[in-house]
């Protein structure tokens, strides 16, 4: 267990509560979409608590590099964005000054500090377009360059051709 996991668990519990999702892994499992802004252990903790998954299209990853997540109740449209406060590190130092190891200090403090000292919570509006909703793909086209299939309107239209992002020059990889 690490401090980030503790923050992720507490963030997920707070987020679900704030948008009225009482049982995210049970009866309410189809009512929640979570947007995580970091690819660290806190995101794994959010996944574990909420049951939201990339494969179910209920967990969305946005690479903002922030220990933050937005919780959307799709039924009521209520949404909150929760950010871990940088000041929580200093709060951990004050709470347990006798612990020399800062990671151990944070781990212990993040379990006990009140939510107000750990997180900023703000009401937000999130519009999820049809191509990003859970469920079956809303479209599928073939890339006119490489022939690979492209789901959910992720194609790039250029000069009357449908291209995948890689063929449109946005590849994260290089073909050898």
């Amino acid at each position: 267990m690490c401090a980030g996991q503790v923050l992720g668990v507490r963030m997920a519990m707070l987020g679900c509560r704030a948008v009225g999702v009482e049982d995210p892994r049970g009866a309410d499992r189809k009512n929640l979409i979570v947007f995580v802004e970091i690819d660290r252990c806190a995101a794994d903790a959010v996944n574990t608590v909420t049951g939201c998954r990339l494969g179910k299209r209920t967990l969305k990853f946005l690479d903002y590099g922030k220990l933050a997540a937005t919780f959307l109740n799709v039924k009521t449209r209520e949404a909150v964005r929760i950010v871990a406060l940088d000041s929580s590190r200093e709060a951990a130092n004050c709470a347990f000054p006798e612990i020399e190891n800062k990671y151990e200090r944070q781990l212990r403090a993040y379990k006990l500090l009140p939510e107000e000292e750990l997180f900023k919570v703000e009401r937000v509006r999130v519009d999820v377009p049809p191509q990003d909703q859970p469920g079956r793909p809303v479209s599928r086209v073939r890339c006119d360059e490489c022939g690979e299939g492209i789901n959910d309107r992720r194609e790039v239209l250029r000069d009357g051709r449908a291209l995948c992002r890689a063929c449109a020059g946005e590849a994260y990889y290089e073909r050898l």
Side-chain angles (χ1 to χ4, degrees):
M1 181 68 80
C2 73
Q5 290 170 315
V6 172
L7 285 175
V9 165
R10 292 197 62 193
M11 178 183 285
M13 292 169 61
L14 174 60
C16 288
R17 202 168 56 248
V19 297
V21 172
E22 293 179 24
D23 187 10
R25 298 183 66 85
D28 290 329
R29 74 181 176 281
K30 294 189 178 192
N31 295 336
L32 184 65
I33 295 176
V34 179
F35 300 80
V36 293
E37 298 182 21
I38 196 163
D39 57 350
R40 298 280 180 183
C41 50
D44 292 336
V46 168
N47 159 260
T48 300
V49 170
T50 65
C52 292
R53 303 185 330 211
L54 289 172
K56 289 287 186 186
R57 307 194 83 216
T58 54
L59 182 67
K60 310 289 186 178
F61 170 60
L62 303 166
D63 195 5
Y64 289 7
K66 296 182 178 184
L67 208 164
T70 298
F71 299 80
L72 169 65
N73 182 327
V74 295
K75 191 175 179 182
T76 65
R77 308 299 305 154
E78 280 186 274
V80 294
R81 182 171 178 269
I82 302 175
V83 183
L85 297 170
D86 278 347
S87 59
S88 66
R89 293 175 182 206
E90 184 55 37
N93 292 339
C94 293
F96 294 100
E98 70 281 3
I99 299 175
E100 284 189 40
N101 182 297
K102 75 175 184 177
Y103 300 111
E104 185 62 33
R105 227 179 4 250
Q106 290 170 356
L107 177 64
R108 207 126 149 239
Y110 294 167
K111 291 177 183 179
L112 302 173
L113 288 171
E115 291 170 341
E116 306 79 49
E117 289 188 49
L118 297 176
F119 305 111
K120 175 178 81 171
V121 180
E122 57 187 342
R123 294 266 169 211
V124 295
R125 187 182 80 219
V126 179
D127 295 317
V128 182
Q131 65 268 22
D132 293 331
Q133 295 281 343
R136 296 194 160 290
V138 296
S139 69
R140 181 158 177 89
V141 299
R142 287 179 54 129
C143 175
D144 288 329
E145 186 72 28
C146 69
E148 295 174 0
I150 311 161
N151 284 346
D152 294 317
R153 299 183 184 140
R154 298 311 196 262
E155 69 271 11
V156 176
L157 299 176
R158 190 171 291 148
D159 299 325
R161 299 175 64 203
L163 302 174
C164 67
R165 289 181 177 175
C167 291
E170 300 174 27
Y172 68 90
Y173 57 88
E174 180 182 351
R175 287 194 168 98
L176 302 177

